[in-house]
Amino acid sequence: MNYCAVWPRNYEPVPGDGPQPAKILVVGERPGRNENYRRRNFIGESGKELNENYLRLAGLERDECRVINTVRCFALNNKTPTDAEVESCSQ
């Protein structure tokens, strides 16, 4: 597993999922506790909101979308990603 230089190795990165290429790219901030545990993005409360509200309103299905996060590692207290974390994850 490749780890970035700015994040402690307490958590493994959660990769994006969905088709590549995809017509729609959904980008979140960072994985939450459920996403970290199950190794999949947007499966907790935010995933429920995405699937049942936003995608439905747009007439889309989850399997049509690529789902990723700006930062791939979970953080306690859901802290806002630092510029260094975003930079490292964008490589």
Side-chain angles (χ1 to χ4, degrees):
M1 181 65 60
N2 292 331
Y3 293 95
C4 70
V6 296
W7 192 248
R9 280 128 178 91
N10 302 0
Y11 307 105
E12 290 185 26
V14 177
D17 63 81
Q20 279 185 301
K23 292 190 289 186
I24 301 295
L25 177 65
V26 177
V27 181
E29 185 176 76
R30 75 171 342 123
R33 188 174 309 280
N34 291 325
E35 291 80 2
N36 180 64
Y37 179 72
R38 300 225 3 242
R39 320 285 339 128
R40 187 160 184 241
N41 292 307
F42 285 89
I43 59 168
E45 287 300 313
S46 59
K48 183 178 178 182
E49 185 175 351
L50 172 69
N51 296 335
E52 294 178 5
N53 296 319
Y54 302 116
L55 293 180
R56 184 177 291 162
L57 285 169
L60 297 168
E61 297 292 327
R62 172 73 181 248
D63 61 0
E64 297 178 82
C65 304
R66 177 96 178 137
V67 182
I68 64 170
N69 281 299
T70 303
V71 174
R72 293 183 200 101
C73 291
F74 170 72
L76 292 176
N77 302 319
N78 197 27
K79 80 175 190 72
T80 300
T82 65
D83 290 343
E85 288 173 317
V86 173
E87 176 77 23
S88 181
C89 281
S90 68
Q91 301 301 320

